[in-house]
Every structure is written in C-alpha cells, then in structure tokens.
Amino acid sequence: MNSETGTLFLHPDRNLALELVRATEAAAIRAVPFIGKGDKLGADGAAVDAMRKFLGTVDFDGLVVIGEGEKDNAPMLFNGEFVGTGRGPACDIAVDPIDGTSLTAAGRQNAISMIAVSDRGTMLDASTVFYMQKIVTGAEGIGVVDIRQPVGENIRALAKAKGKLVEEIVVAVLDRPRHEQLIADIRATGAGTRLMLDGDVAGGINAALYGTRIDMCVGIGGSPEGVATACAIKAIGGLIQTILYPKTDLEKQKGLDAGLRFDEVYDADTLVRSDNTFFVATGVTDGGLVNGVKRLGPIIRTESIVLRSHSGTIRRVTADHLAEKWLG
C-alpha cells in the first residue's frame, strides 16, 4: 500500500513501458556525440546520466538488480540503486545504458540502450558471476535444443524443427578468441555464422523473433545481458538456456555464497520468475534489431522496440524529437 496515494500497486502495468522508453531514448540520444570518437567511457557516462535522470521521473519503485559497468570500471547505475519516484509498482530492473559501448566508440552497428523490468524479487541476481554460456532460439527450439548437447546436434535438431536445411541455418556468436572452436564446430555442420563484435542481447532477441535472418544465438557472454534477454524472450515466446561460467575459483565461490548454482541450466523462468516482464531498447547505432539515432534537420529520430510478456506484444516505436530541446 502506498502511504501517499492509498493505492495498492501489485505489478508493473502497460503504461510503464512508454515511460521507460523515454529513458532509453534519452540515453541513446546523449550517446550520439560519442559515436566513432573512440571514447567508450565518455559514451557510457553520457548515457548513464541521461538514463538516470529520466528514470527519476517515472512513477515506479525500481531496484537495480543488474547494473552496468562493474566489469570494466565504467560509469554505472549501480546494483542496489533505487530509481523512480517510489510511487508505483515495485520492480526489479536490469539496465544497460549502452549495450555495445565499444561498438559506439568505434562507430559500428548494433549498439542499443536497454532496460528490462520484472516484478520485485523475481530477477536472478547473477552479479557475482560475470559470464554465462547461452543458447537462444525461437519457439521452434523449445523441447528440441539443449545447451548441454554439442552445438552440431542442436543445429541439426533446430533445422528439422524449422523445416530448413542445415545449410540455411544462421547462428549468431560473439567474435571472441574463446569461441574459436565453437565457430569451427558451427561451420563444420554446414550452417553459417553471424559474428558479433559486441551486444549479444540484440543477437539473442533476433534469434527468437519471427522473420529475422538469425536462427540461433550461442556462446559465452555477460550474465547481466542473459537475464535482460530472458525478459525479452518471455514476451517473444522463444527459448533461452544458460549455464553460469565463472572464470576463477574465487568468482565461483562468490557465486556459491550468493546462492547461485553451477550445475543448473537456468531458463527463462528461472532467470526471471515473473510472467509480467518488459524489455525496452532504443537503437544507438543502426542494427538488425532497431535503427540508430538520426539527425534529420531540426529533428532527432529514434527507433525503439518494446516487449511485454503479459500481453505477448512486440511494439516498435519511432519518435521524432525537436533537436533544440537536446542542445546544450
């Protein structure tokens, strides 16, 4: 019960999504001056400041369960920070003011600003373990693929379920030295790869969305990004499976102390124990998920995607902002 209004708030409602998209739009717009300038921390800092400012105006009681920046000492909306006015639904949130800071700094594609939201106490706090193995597909992969199987078996099973030739399957994977053998194994099946320089949230979502060129997203990526992706997958109706991947014994011990399990496959329902999730993302640079910010004379145009699991809706929001309001 909210003492100021006397209103009982239970769950995030549909209006929250349009409030959250203002925050991702702001973060994306503020990052634009840093695109291609080589200043990763500057871009992240500008996006963080903008996102925090706009989140502070939203009527909700948001707890940052997964913040950005702890891995690389970047500016952050830190874990445990409360955002919002405090009046409204109590929520867990995962934020990444720029998923793809390196992409932004280099002027490359597929950088986004994103926020994921679920009911309070339902989002897995995997902050003690920075990485996890992941596999993401569309709904055809449910009951068909298994992260514990070799990638070749999963590709062949998914191809059969989708009625495709294996040679038609495209698998997204981060282009990292740790994935050298994984990439070779994918190509050995005859399937193609879509190598991502960064930003496996967008890669995972594209693997689950109907009608994209990506059929599967696999590999080792950030745990925060995995939980955020799960919020989106619950709205799309696809599959995500993850296994925590500690890099050191100390990190594993910290995870054990936090109650994490390393012999368990975390799926969408254990990554996020809520049937009412939101995922909101705005493009910073152009990509397969959303277009980046564009300056069109006196107008700044943004494109966002808004996913809500409770209603099973996917909305794309194009907004034109008066540039003069963002100057200075």
Side-chain angles (χ1 to χ4, degrees):
M1 183 75 70
N2 184 287
S3 59
E4 293 186 18
T5 64
T7 303
L8 182 64
F9 296 103
L10 294 176
H11 303 290
D13 68 17
R14 60 190 175 190
N15 295 322
L16 181 59
L18 294 181
E19 290 295 306
L20 294 174
V21 81
R22 294 170 57 237
T24 56
E25 288 171 348
I29 290 171
R30 289 302 190 196
V32 167
F34 297 89
I35 293 175
K37 303 297 178 60
D39 187 357
K40 174 181 173 181
L41 295 185
D44 208 23
V48 168
D49 289 344
M51 181 174 282
R52 180 183 280 115
K53 178 181 177 182
F54 273 79
L55 285 176
T57 69
V58 178
D59 281 335
F60 79 137
D61 180 15
L63 172 63
V64 180
V65 174
I66 297 172
E68 166 62 15
E70 292 187 353
K71 291 192 293 239
D72 51 11
N73 297 315
M76 62 178 118
L77 280 151
F78 58 84
N79 296 347
E81 180 175 353
F82 284 91
V83 295
T85 64
R87 300 186 300 273
C91 306
D92 285 349
I93 68 172
V95 297
D96 200 340
I98 306 179
D99 180 34
T101 50
S102 297
L103 301 176
T104 303
R108 295 190 175 109
Q109 292 190 331
N110 293 311
I112 62 173
S113 175
M114 54 126 283
I115 300 173
V117 176
S118 65
D119 297 313
R120 175 67 55 80
T122 61
M123 198 175 283
L124 180 71
D125 182 357
S127 57
T128 52
V129 180
F130 292 142
Y131 292 101
M132 55 174 52
Q133 299 177 60
K134 310 173 194 177
I135 185 167
V136 186
T137 74
E140 299 93 343
I142 297 172
V144 172
V145 304
D146 189 322
I147 194 171
R148 294 163 293 192
Q149 295 180 160
V151 69
E153 291 185 25
N154 282 326
I155 288 170
R156 287 185 285 271
L158 183 63
K160 182 177 180 181
K162 298 186 78 166
K164 284 186 171 185
L165 297 174
V166 168
E167 290 76 12
E168 296 175 317
I169 295 292
V170 177
V171 182
V173 57
L174 284 170
D175 190 4
R176 298 287 189 273
R178 63 178 178 264
H179 289 149
E180 183 177 343
Q181 186 59 53
L182 176 62
I183 292 167
D185 291 343
I186 292 167
R187 290 173 175 170
T189 68
T193 55
R194 181 70 57 84
L195 300 184
M196 303 177 292
L197 294 172
D198 208 344
D200 67 345
V201 173
I205 294 172
N206 274 325
L209 283 171
Y210 178 78
T212 72
R213 190 66 190 89
I214 306 298
D215 298 286
M216 179 187 294
C217 184
V218 298
I220 298 166
S223 297
E225 290 84 354
V227 176
T229 302
C231 287
I233 297 305
K234 296 191 77 137
I236 299 168
L239 170 139
I240 180 170
Q241 293 178 344
T242 68
I243 298 174
L244 292 167
Y245 188 83
K247 296 185 72 176
T248 66
D249 290 340
L250 177 60
E251 190 178 28
K252 183 172 184 178
Q253 188 57 54
K254 287 182 178 179
L256 290 170
D257 293 343
L260 298 176
R261 295 179 294 277
F262 295 91
D263 57 351
E264 178 174 331
V265 174
Y266 287 93
D267 61 12
D269 289 329
T270 48
L271 290 168
V272 185
R273 300 182 310 277
S274 170
D275 290 327
N276 191 29
T277 66
F278 292 91
F279 179 89
V280 179
T282 300
V284 177
T285 59
D286 285 343
L289 185 62
V290 282
N291 289 322
V293 180
K294 291 180 173 58
R295 177 70 183 266
L296 305 171
I299 295 299
I300 297 172
R301 178 166 294 168
T302 58
E303 182 176 296
S304 306
I305 187 169
V306 179
L307 311 174
R308 187 187 182 206
S309 66
H310 184 70
S311 55
T313 51
I314 302 170
R315 290 185 171 89
R316 294 189 178 272
V317 178
T318 300
D320 287 345
H321 312 258
L322 279 176
E324 65 185 45
K325 300 290 186 181
W326 293 88
L327 297 178

